[in-house]
Short mmCIF file of all heavy atoms in Angstrom, two decimals:
data_model
loop_
_atom_site.label_atom_id
_atom_site.label_comp_id
_atom_site.label_asym_id
_atom_site.label_seq_id
_atom_site.Cartn_x
_atom_site.Cartn_y
_atom_site.Cartn_z
N SER A 1034 -81.69 4.70 95.60
CA SER A 1034 -82.64 5.68 96.10
C SER A 1034 -83.46 6.20 94.92
O SER A 1034 -83.16 5.93 93.78
CB SER A 1034 -81.93 6.82 96.82
OG SER A 1034 -81.04 7.46 95.96
N ASN A 1035 -84.47 6.95 95.22
CA ASN A 1035 -85.37 7.48 94.20
C ASN A 1035 -84.64 8.58 93.43
O ASN A 1035 -84.32 9.62 93.99
CB ASN A 1035 -86.63 8.03 94.87
CG ASN A 1035 -87.64 8.54 93.87
OD1 ASN A 1035 -87.32 8.84 92.73
ND2 ASN A 1035 -88.87 8.64 94.32
N PRO A 1036 -84.40 8.38 92.13
CA PRO A 1036 -83.67 9.37 91.34
C PRO A 1036 -84.33 10.74 91.34
O PRO A 1036 -83.65 11.75 91.29
CB PRO A 1036 -83.66 8.78 89.93
CG PRO A 1036 -83.91 7.34 90.10
CD PRO A 1036 -84.72 7.19 91.35
N ALA A 1037 -85.63 10.77 91.43
CA ALA A 1037 -86.34 12.06 91.40
C ALA A 1037 -85.95 12.93 92.58
O ALA A 1037 -85.94 14.15 92.50
CB ALA A 1037 -87.84 11.83 91.38
N LEU A 1038 -85.62 12.31 93.72
CA LEU A 1038 -85.22 13.08 94.89
C LEU A 1038 -83.71 13.28 94.97
O LEU A 1038 -83.25 14.27 95.52
CB LEU A 1038 -85.72 12.39 96.16
CG LEU A 1038 -87.24 12.30 96.30
CD1 LEU A 1038 -87.61 11.50 97.54
CD2 LEU A 1038 -87.88 13.67 96.35
N ALA A 1039 -82.93 12.34 94.43
CA ALA A 1039 -81.48 12.43 94.51
C ALA A 1039 -80.90 13.42 93.50
O ALA A 1039 -79.92 14.11 93.80
CB ALA A 1039 -80.86 11.05 94.29
N ALA A 1040 -81.49 13.50 92.33
CA ALA A 1040 -80.91 14.30 91.24
C ALA A 1040 -80.72 15.78 91.59
O ALA A 1040 -79.64 16.32 91.34
CB ALA A 1040 -81.75 14.15 89.97
N PRO A 1041 -81.71 16.47 92.16
CA PRO A 1041 -81.49 17.90 92.45
C PRO A 1041 -80.35 18.14 93.43
O PRO A 1041 -79.55 19.06 93.24
CB PRO A 1041 -82.83 18.35 93.04
CG PRO A 1041 -83.84 17.38 92.51
CD PRO A 1041 -83.10 16.07 92.41
N GLY A 1042 -80.24 17.30 94.45
CA GLY A 1042 -79.15 17.46 95.41
C GLY A 1042 -77.79 17.23 94.77
O GLY A 1042 -76.85 17.99 95.00
N LEU A 1043 -77.69 16.20 93.96
CA LEU A 1043 -76.44 15.93 93.26
C LEU A 1043 -76.10 17.05 92.29
O LEU A 1043 -74.95 17.47 92.19
CB LEU A 1043 -76.52 14.59 92.52
CG LEU A 1043 -76.47 13.34 93.39
CD1 LEU A 1043 -76.81 12.10 92.58
CD2 LEU A 1043 -75.11 13.20 94.05
N ALA A 1044 -77.11 17.55 91.59
CA ALA A 1044 -76.88 18.64 90.63
C ALA A 1044 -76.34 19.88 91.33
O ALA A 1044 -75.40 20.53 90.84
CB ALA A 1044 -78.17 18.96 89.88
N HIS A 1045 -76.88 20.22 92.49
CA HIS A 1045 -76.39 21.39 93.23
C HIS A 1045 -74.95 21.18 93.67
O HIS A 1045 -74.13 22.10 93.60
CB HIS A 1045 -77.29 21.69 94.43
CG HIS A 1045 -78.53 22.44 94.07
ND1 HIS A 1045 -78.54 23.78 93.79
CD2 HIS A 1045 -79.80 22.02 93.90
CE1 HIS A 1045 -79.76 24.17 93.48
NE2 HIS A 1045 -80.56 23.11 93.54
N MET A 1046 -74.63 19.97 94.12
CA MET A 1046 -73.26 19.68 94.54
C MET A 1046 -72.30 19.76 93.36
O MET A 1046 -71.20 20.30 93.48
CB MET A 1046 -73.20 18.30 95.19
CG MET A 1046 -73.90 18.23 96.53
SD MET A 1046 -73.90 16.58 97.23
CE MET A 1046 -72.17 16.41 97.66
N ILE A 1047 -72.70 19.22 92.21
CA ILE A 1047 -71.86 19.25 91.01
C ILE A 1047 -71.62 20.69 90.58
O ILE A 1047 -70.49 21.09 90.28
CB ILE A 1047 -72.51 18.42 89.88
CG1 ILE A 1047 -72.46 16.93 90.23
CG2 ILE A 1047 -71.84 18.70 88.53
CD1 ILE A 1047 -73.40 16.06 89.41
N HIS A 1048 -72.69 21.48 90.57
CA HIS A 1048 -72.57 22.89 90.17
C HIS A 1048 -71.62 23.64 91.11
O HIS A 1048 -70.74 24.38 90.66
CB HIS A 1048 -73.96 23.54 90.15
CG HIS A 1048 -73.94 24.97 89.76
ND1 HIS A 1048 -73.71 25.38 88.46
CD2 HIS A 1048 -74.08 26.10 90.49
CE1 HIS A 1048 -73.73 26.71 88.42
NE2 HIS A 1048 -73.95 27.16 89.64
N ALA A 1049 -71.78 23.42 92.40
CA ALA A 1049 -70.92 24.11 93.38
C ALA A 1049 -69.47 23.65 93.24
O ALA A 1049 -68.55 24.47 93.36
CB ALA A 1049 -71.43 23.84 94.79
N ALA A 1050 -69.25 22.37 92.98
CA ALA A 1050 -67.89 21.83 92.89
C ALA A 1050 -67.10 22.41 91.73
O ALA A 1050 -65.87 22.40 91.76
CB ALA A 1050 -67.94 20.30 92.78
N ALA A 1051 -67.78 22.94 90.73
CA ALA A 1051 -67.08 23.52 89.59
C ALA A 1051 -66.31 24.78 89.97
O ALA A 1051 -65.34 25.14 89.30
CB ALA A 1051 -68.08 23.83 88.47
N SER A 1052 -66.72 25.44 91.07
CA SER A 1052 -66.06 26.69 91.43
C SER A 1052 -65.62 26.76 92.90
O SER A 1052 -64.95 27.70 93.29
CB SER A 1052 -66.99 27.88 91.14
OG SER A 1052 -68.18 27.75 91.91
N ASP A 1053 -65.98 25.77 93.69
CA ASP A 1053 -65.68 25.81 95.12
C ASP A 1053 -64.86 24.58 95.52
O ASP A 1053 -65.36 23.46 95.47
CB ASP A 1053 -67.00 25.83 95.91
CG ASP A 1053 -66.81 25.84 97.41
OD1 ASP A 1053 -65.67 25.74 97.89
OD2 ASP A 1053 -67.83 25.94 98.12
N PRO A 1054 -63.60 24.78 95.91
CA PRO A 1054 -62.74 23.64 96.26
C PRO A 1054 -63.30 22.80 97.41
O PRO A 1054 -63.13 21.59 97.43
CB PRO A 1054 -61.41 24.29 96.67
CG PRO A 1054 -61.45 25.68 96.15
CD PRO A 1054 -62.88 26.05 95.99
N GLN A 1055 -63.98 23.43 98.36
CA GLN A 1055 -64.56 22.67 99.47
C GLN A 1055 -65.68 21.76 98.97
O GLN A 1055 -65.82 20.62 99.41
CB GLN A 1055 -65.08 23.63 100.56
CG GLN A 1055 -63.98 24.42 101.24
CD GLN A 1055 -62.98 23.53 101.96
OE1 GLN A 1055 -63.32 22.51 102.52
NE2 GLN A 1055 -61.71 23.91 101.92
N ALA A 1056 -66.50 22.27 98.05
CA ALA A 1056 -67.57 21.46 97.47
C ALA A 1056 -66.98 20.30 96.68
O ALA A 1056 -67.52 19.19 96.69
CB ALA A 1056 -68.47 22.31 96.58
N LEU A 1057 -65.86 20.56 96.03
CA LEU A 1057 -65.19 19.51 95.27
C LEU A 1057 -64.71 18.39 96.19
O LEU A 1057 -64.86 17.21 95.88
CB LEU A 1057 -64.02 20.10 94.48
CG LEU A 1057 -63.25 19.13 93.58
CD1 LEU A 1057 -64.17 18.49 92.55
CD2 LEU A 1057 -62.10 19.88 92.89
N ILE A 1058 -64.18 18.75 97.35
CA ILE A 1058 -63.74 17.75 98.32
C ILE A 1058 -64.93 16.92 98.79
O ILE A 1058 -64.86 15.69 98.85
CB ILE A 1058 -63.04 18.42 99.52
CG1 ILE A 1058 -61.69 19.01 99.08
CG2 ILE A 1058 -62.85 17.43 100.68
CD1 ILE A 1058 -61.04 19.91 100.11
N LEU A 1059 -66.03 17.58 99.09
CA LEU A 1059 -67.22 16.88 99.57
C LEU A 1059 -67.75 15.90 98.53
O LEU A 1059 -68.02 14.74 98.84
CB LEU A 1059 -68.30 17.90 99.97
CG LEU A 1059 -69.52 17.35 100.68
CD1 LEU A 1059 -69.13 16.70 102.00
CD2 LEU A 1059 -70.52 18.46 100.92
N ILE A 1060 -67.87 16.35 97.29
CA ILE A 1060 -68.41 15.47 96.25
C ILE A 1060 -67.40 14.37 95.91
O ILE A 1060 -67.81 13.25 95.57
CB ILE A 1060 -68.87 16.25 95.01
CG1 ILE A 1060 -69.88 15.37 94.22
CG2 ILE A 1060 -67.73 16.67 94.14
CD1 ILE A 1060 -70.68 16.13 93.20
N SER A 1061 -66.13 14.64 96.05
CA SER A 1061 -65.11 13.60 95.82
C SER A 1061 -65.24 12.49 96.85
O SER A 1061 -65.15 11.31 96.52
CB SER A 1061 -63.71 14.20 95.86
OG SER A 1061 -63.53 15.09 94.81
N ASN A 1062 -65.44 12.88 98.11
CA ASN A 1062 -65.64 11.89 99.16
C ASN A 1062 -66.88 11.05 98.88
O ASN A 1062 -66.88 9.83 99.05
CB ASN A 1062 -65.76 12.56 100.54
CG ASN A 1062 -64.46 13.13 101.02
OD1 ASN A 1062 -63.39 12.72 100.60
ND2 ASN A 1062 -64.54 14.11 101.90
N MET A 1063 -67.94 11.71 98.45
CA MET A 1063 -69.17 11.02 98.14
C MET A 1063 -68.97 10.06 96.96
O MET A 1063 -69.42 8.91 96.99
CB MET A 1063 -70.27 12.03 97.82
CG MET A 1063 -71.63 11.42 97.71
SD MET A 1063 -72.84 12.72 97.54
CE MET A 1063 -73.21 12.53 95.83
N ALA A 1064 -68.29 10.52 95.92
CA ALA A 1064 -68.04 9.69 94.74
C ALA A 1064 -67.20 8.47 95.10
O ALA A 1064 -67.42 7.37 94.58
CB ALA A 1064 -67.38 10.50 93.64
N GLU A 1065 -66.26 8.64 96.01
CA GLU A 1065 -65.44 7.52 96.45
C GLU A 1065 -66.31 6.44 97.10
O GLU A 1065 -66.16 5.25 96.82
CB GLU A 1065 -64.36 7.99 97.42
CG GLU A 1065 -63.44 6.88 97.88
CD GLU A 1065 -62.37 7.37 98.83
OE1 GLU A 1065 -62.03 8.57 98.80
OE2 GLU A 1065 -61.88 6.55 99.61
N GLN A 1066 -67.24 6.86 97.94
CA GLN A 1066 -68.16 5.91 98.57
C GLN A 1066 -69.04 5.24 97.53
O GLN A 1066 -69.30 4.04 97.59
CB GLN A 1066 -69.03 6.61 99.62
CG GLN A 1066 -68.27 7.09 100.83
CD GLN A 1066 -67.68 5.95 101.62
OE1 GLN A 1066 -68.32 4.93 101.82
NE2 GLN A 1066 -66.45 6.12 102.08
N MET A 1067 -69.52 6.02 96.57
CA MET A 1067 -70.38 5.47 95.52
C MET A 1067 -69.62 4.45 94.68
O MET A 1067 -70.19 3.42 94.30
CB MET A 1067 -70.90 6.61 94.63
CG MET A 1067 -71.90 7.51 95.33
SD MET A 1067 -72.21 9.05 94.45
CE MET A 1067 -72.86 8.49 92.90
N SER A 1068 -68.35 4.71 94.40
CA SER A 1068 -67.59 3.78 93.57
C SER A 1068 -67.39 2.45 94.27
O SER A 1068 -67.35 1.40 93.62
CB SER A 1068 -66.25 4.39 93.15
OG SER A 1068 -65.40 4.53 94.26
N LYS A 1069 -67.31 2.46 95.59
CA LYS A 1069 -67.16 1.21 96.35
C LYS A 1069 -68.43 0.37 96.30
O LYS A 1069 -68.38 -0.84 96.51
CB LYS A 1069 -66.81 1.52 97.81
CG LYS A 1069 -65.42 2.09 97.98
CD LYS A 1069 -65.15 2.43 99.42
CE LYS A 1069 -63.78 3.09 99.57
NZ LYS A 1069 -63.55 3.54 100.94
N ALA A 1070 -69.56 1.02 96.03
CA ALA A 1070 -70.84 0.30 96.00
C ALA A 1070 -70.97 -0.56 94.75
O ALA A 1070 -71.75 -1.50 94.72
CB ALA A 1070 -72.00 1.29 96.09
N GLY A 1071 -70.24 -0.22 93.70
CA GLY A 1071 -70.29 -0.98 92.46
C GLY A 1071 -71.51 -0.65 91.62
O GLY A 1071 -72.30 0.23 91.95
N GLY A 1072 -71.66 -1.34 90.52
CA GLY A 1072 -72.82 -1.17 89.63
C GLY A 1072 -72.98 0.24 89.12
O GLY A 1072 -72.00 0.93 88.84
#
């Protein structure tokens, strides 16, 4: 996807995950899917 559009959303999720366990779960699920994509 276009990094210019993806970066702000990911940054907000990363920032929230540092202090919010629910955000951490959400970004963990997302990272798991991303890792399956490879590259």
Side-chain angles (χ1 to χ4, degrees):
S1034 59
N1035 183 339
L1038 297 176
L1043 287 170
H1045 279 284
M1046 291 177 71
I1047 290 164
H1048 179 73
S1052 61
D1053 179 355
Q1055 295 298 324
L1057 183 59
I1058 291 169
L1059 189 61
I1060 201 165
S1061 295
N1062 290 337
M1063 189 173 106
E1065 182 179 336
Q1066 292 295 319
M1067 290 166 60
S1068 68
K1069 290 178 184 175

